Amino acid sequence: MRKGEATRGRIIDSAARLAAVRGLTAVSLGDVAEVVGLSKSGLFKHFESKDDMRMAVVETVMERFGEFVWKPAETRPPGRGRLEAVFERWLHWCESEWAESGCPIMQLTIELDDQPGPTRDYLHKGLGVFRGALVREFQALRDPPLTEAEAKAAYFQMRSFILGLSEARRMMGDADAERSARAAFEALLDRTARPADA
Amino acid sequence: MRKGEATRGRIIDSAARLAAVRGLTAVSLGDVAEVVGLSKSGLFKHFESKDDMRMAVVETVMERFGEFVWKPAETRPPGRGRLEAVFERWLHWCESEWAESGCPIMQLTIELDDQPGPTRDYLHKGLGVFRGALVREFQALRDPPLTEAEAKAAYFQMRSFILGLSEARRMMGDADAERSARAAFEALLDRTARPADA
DNA sequence: ACAGAAAGTGAACGGTCGTGCTCTTTTTCC
DNA sequence: GGAAAAAGAGCACGACCGTTCACTTTCTGT
């Protein structure tokens, strides 16, 4: 039962990389089979249907996102340093780990946001947990802690800069985008950590 | 030759709405034909191929974006009021005009950003022109005008907030997102218009 | 080492895809 | 109002889609 798991992993990995480029729906079993070096029918020893495979891709991507972006920052003490670490890893996730295709979560979000179903639900839940954790980090950033609404607004901006970076780099080819994103985030931290004013 | 143009318009419109939901690649000619009330082969009297139709969709969407978002603001005098008008129309474009599907340009951008070809080129060009216009608006916002780099950074944030709003509303179901986006944009204008500090 | 399970193949299925073809209906122009 | 052109219908095609099934090969536990 060992070999199977390894193959299953390779299938998911290939499918995820294809999905990050063309979208999950546009990935055919034939394409995946070819990339991974299997026959189409061989895939069905690892997934009971294409929907099943799609779900596995979404789950795996979300899992890896947590490992890659959140986990390394978790070791740091809460506060500005931890938020900066998350942002830095997040940039790295989008710009290096998925350099050829762009962040698959972004692709999946746009693809699934208006298509109800278990995959959308899973994505929604995962993003919600991540957002919740970051909102708490933002709250703890200031001595009289930020209200939840303030922290949510800060997360909104943080997330926006990541999205903006992807478009600027991938579609517009803007080489300065990473600098812009980093600067915008640092300025956000500055004015969020500052105690009194709006 | 009149009837044909009207039908062509209806085809493009239906195709665009379907594409905003599922993505342009995932729209089949059969689907479009059914929605518009034509036979599949009838479509070929208006487009020489599916690629041709895809291109027409992209062109039309970009054209309408200009009419809807930029044109109403153009009548205003340059300055903060015009930028606010653009932002407001942009929100309206995303949240009302394409309420059921989300902004098609966002969908197209994510779908095409790593798929070279004429459609991507067209999208790239259109977005570039729009960005250029807004960058100039930002430059004129302050009395000693902003450097181009500063203005680009400001546009980067403006665009980011629009992207962030879409994800927050459509995927996360965040009802406060529109308020967050507006507040973030106003704060951006405040600190951009202010003369001296970084 | 050998039995049984797991992993993988190849052919075939019904369905849908984009596209060409011929043919009929409708519109447009003088 | 009638001829030419445009708009559209219907059918058939080859290719590919996801899935099934019977079969062979490879691995794994004892």
Side-chain angles (χ1 to χ4, degrees):
Chain A
M1 201 205 293
R2 189 66 53 78
K3 173 108 176 293
E5 283 177 24
T7 309
R8 188 183 150 101
R10 274 166 45 226
I11 295 171
I12 292 177
D13 191 73
S14 302
R17 301 220 163 252
L18 287 173
V21 175
R22 328 180 196 170
L24 197 46
T25 317
V27 175
S28 82
L29 296 184
D31 294 331
V32 176
E34 195 185 351
V35 170
V36 83
L38 273 185
S39 65
K40 247 197 321 175
S41 52
L43 297 178
F44 283 86
K45 292 288 142 97
H46 303 280
F47 306 96
E48 49 181 62
S49 68
K50 198 198 176 182
D51 271 350
D52 188 27
M53 189 184 83
R54 294 169 76 235
M55 189 54 154
V57 167
V58 174
E59 285 172 0
T60 303
V61 165
M62 290 307 284
E63 205 173 290
R64 278 200 218 158
F65 178 76
E67 300 265 325
F68 193 94
V69 174
W70 177 254
K71 214 174 167 191
E74 208 179 12
T75 66
R76 297 193 173 216
R80 178 162 179 153
R82 187 188 270 183
L83 276 167
E84 285 174 329
V86 169
F87 192 76
E88 213 51 48
R89 292 294 288 176
W90 207 348
L91 289 187
H92 198 248
W93 166 267
C94 292
E95 299 291 307
S96 305
E97 191 73 357
W98 297 88
E100 318 86 25
S101 57
C103 168
I105 296 178
M106 229 168 277
Q107 167 86 47
L108 289 170
T109 297
I110 294 250
E111 189 176 352
L112 299 175
D113 66 359
D114 39 24
Q115 286 181 294
T119 46
R120 199 210 112 109
D121 293 345
Y122 191 94
L123 199 58
H124 173 88
K125 198 173 129 193
L127 289 172
V129 169
F130 182 71
R131 178 173 86 145
L134 283 200
V135 166
R136 279 190 298 277
E137 291 300 324
F138 270 112
Q139 287 191 263
L141 193 58
R142 208 182 52 185
D143 190 1
L146 273 69
T147 66
E148 201 187 347
E150 288 172 326
K152 280 187 178 172
Y155 171 78
F156 168 81
Q157 295 197 29
M158 180 183 187
R159 174 53 169 154
S160 294
F161 297 147
I162 298 279
L163 291 166
L165 170 61
S166 266
E167 168 165 315
R169 278 264 292 182
R170 302 191 57 70
M171 176 52 81
M172 305 310 296
D174 185 348
D176 293 338
E178 198 166 327
R179 193 176 0 241
S180 293
R182 244 187 278 260
F185 180 64
E186 286 300 325
L188 169 67
L189 287 180
D190 286 344
R191 59 180 184 270
T192 304
R194 198 181 332 166
D197 57 289
Chain B
M1 203 204 292
R2 187 66 53 75
K3 173 106 176 292
E5 283 178 23
T7 308
R8 188 183 149 102
R10 274 165 46 226
I11 296 171
I12 292 177
D13 190 74
S14 302
R17 301 219 163 253
L18 286 173
V21 175
R22 329 180 195 169
L24 197 45
T25 318
V27 175
S28 82
L29 295 184
D31 295 330
V32 176
E34 197 185 349
V35 170
V36 84
L38 273 186
S39 67
K40 247 197 323 174
S41 53
L43 297 178
F44 283 86
K45 292 289 141 110
H46 303 279
F47 306 96
E48 50 182 62
S49 70
K50 198 197 176 184
D51 270 350
D52 187 27
M53 190 183 82
R54 293 169 78 236
M55 190 50 154
V57 167
V58 174
E59 285 172 358
T60 302
V61 165
M62 291 305 284
E63 206 173 290
R64 280 200 216 155
F65 178 77
E67 300 265 326
F68 193 95
V69 173
W70 176 254
K71 215 174 167 192
E74 208 179 11
T75 66
R76 297 193 174 216
R80 179 162 180 154
R82 187 188 271 182
L83 276 166
E84 284 174 330
V86 169
F87 191 77
E88 213 52 48
R89 291 294 288 176
W90 207 348
L91 289 186
H92 198 249
W93 165 268
C94 291
E95 298 290 308
S96 305
E97 191 73 358
W98 297 88
E100 318 85 25
S101 58
C103 168
I105 295 178
M106 229 168 276
Q107 167 84 48
L108 289 171
T109 298
I110 294 249
E111 189 176 352
L112 299 176
D113 66 359
D114 37 25
Q115 286 180 294
T119 47
R120 198 209 112 106
D121 293 344
Y122 192 93
L123 200 58
H124 173 87
K125 199 173 128 194
L127 289 172
V129 168
F130 181 71
R131 178 172 87 144
L134 284 200
V135 166
R136 278 190 298 276
E137 292 299 323
F138 271 112
Q139 287 192 262
L141 192 59
R142 208 181 53 184
D143 190 1
L146 273 69
T147 66
E148 199 187 350
E150 287 171 328
K152 278 187 178 172
Y155 171 79
F156 169 81
Q157 295 198 31
M158 180 182 185
R159 174 53 170 155
S160 294
F161 298 148
I162 298 278
L163 292 165
L165 170 60
S166 265
E167 169 166 314
R169 280 263 291 181
R170 303 193 54 72
M171 176 51 82
M172 306 309 294
D174 186 347
D176 294 339
E178 199 166 326
R179 196 179 356 245
S180 294
R182 245 188 278 261
F185 179 64
E186 286 300 324
L188 170 67
L189 287 181
D190 285 346
R191 60 180 182 270
T192 305
R194 199 181 332 166
D197 56 288

